[in-house]
Each structure stands twice: as structure tokens, then as C-alpha cells.
Amino acid sequence: QVQLVESGGGIVQAGDSLRLSCAASGRTDRIYIMGWFRQAPGKEREYVARITRTSGVTYYADSAKGRFTISRDNAKNTVYLQMNSLKPEDTAIYYCAVQVFGTNKYDYWGQGTQVTVSS
């Protein structure tokens, strides 16, 4: 089992920045990929970014490229999402999730943190 706790959400204005954090606990040695997703009101959950825990290789959704940066601190078992130049359409609940070795899906999810961007 892996437990995930997100933090760092809030209410900001368009153009501002936020950094989200996701702290993992439990069987963190099993983590292969750490990712961020978001779900806006009335919309389906969408992928934002991911990072491979060992190699640090990153992938981004088109909506995140150039504005968001995913990073990790393995010593702290924490993944971050630095979000710059925020737009009102970035308003959503942001979820952290991990994929463990041996699976091809995100197995564990955090409770989410709300990000609201006002125009």
C-alpha cells in the first residue's frame, strides 16, 4: 500500500504561480511513476504530467507544456508540480497518483487539492 497526501492548492489570480506537493508513504520502494491529474467541474479527469521515480524522465500534457514543471525528491518521497502563468482554465482539483512496479495503471491516488484561478 502507498498513501498519498497532496498540499499546496489555493486561490490565486491569473498569471500567478503555485507549487503543489504530494508526499508518499508506505511501500514507496514500489513506486515506478508519479503523476499529476486534474478534474475541473463538469469535466472528466485529465492527465497533467508524470515523472519516473528512478530516472526522473518527465512527460507533460499539451496543456501543461511550458508552464508546469514536475519534479521529485526521492529522499522525501515527494513529487512536486510547479505551475506558472496560471489561467482560469487551470481551475480544478489536482490529484497525485502513483503507478507501482508490475502494473500499467495508476494504483494509488491522493485525496486531491483544489486550485482556483480567478481572472
Side-chain angles (χ1 to χ4, degrees), residues 68-84:
F68 294 2
T69 302
I70 189 171
S71 61
R72 90 281 192 226
D73 184 335
N74 289 342
K76 296 181 179 179
N77 292 312
T78 299
V79 62
Y80 304 97
L81 186 68
Q82 177 67 43
M83 304 187 294
N84 298 328

Side-chain angles (χ1 to χ4, degrees), residues 4 37 39 62 81 116:
L4 302 170
F37 293 76
Q39 186 166 20
D62 288 343
L81 186 68
T116 302

Side-chain angles (χ1 to χ4, degrees), residues 31-111:
I31 296 173
Y32 173 43
I33 292 173
M34 305 182 81
W36 286 97
F37 293 76
R38 67 186 183 184
Q39 186 166 20
K43 296 187 176 181
E44 293 188 354
R45 184 173 60 199
E46 65 173 358
Y47 159 78
V48 176
R50 73 174 200 187
I51 186 166
T52 303
R53 187 171 183 268
T54 50
S55 66
V57 174
T58 58
Y59 292 95
Y60 295 91
D62 288 343
S63 59
K65 289 179 182 177
R67 298 189 300 127
F68 294 2
T69 302
I70 189 171
S71 61
R72 90 281 192 226
D73 184 335
N74 289 342
K76 296 181 179 179
N77 292 312
T78 299
V79 62
Y80 304 97
L81 186 68
Q82 177 67 43
M83 304 187 294
N84 298 328
S85 302
L86 283 162
K87 305 175 182 179
E89 51 264 44
D90 294 318
T91 294
I93 300 174
Y94 284 71
Y95 297 92
C96 171
V98 301
Q99 178 180 330
V100 300
F101 288 102
T103 74
N104 60 358
K105 61 180 178 66
Y106 286 90
D107 305 278
Y108 301 97
W109 294 80
Q111 82 289 350

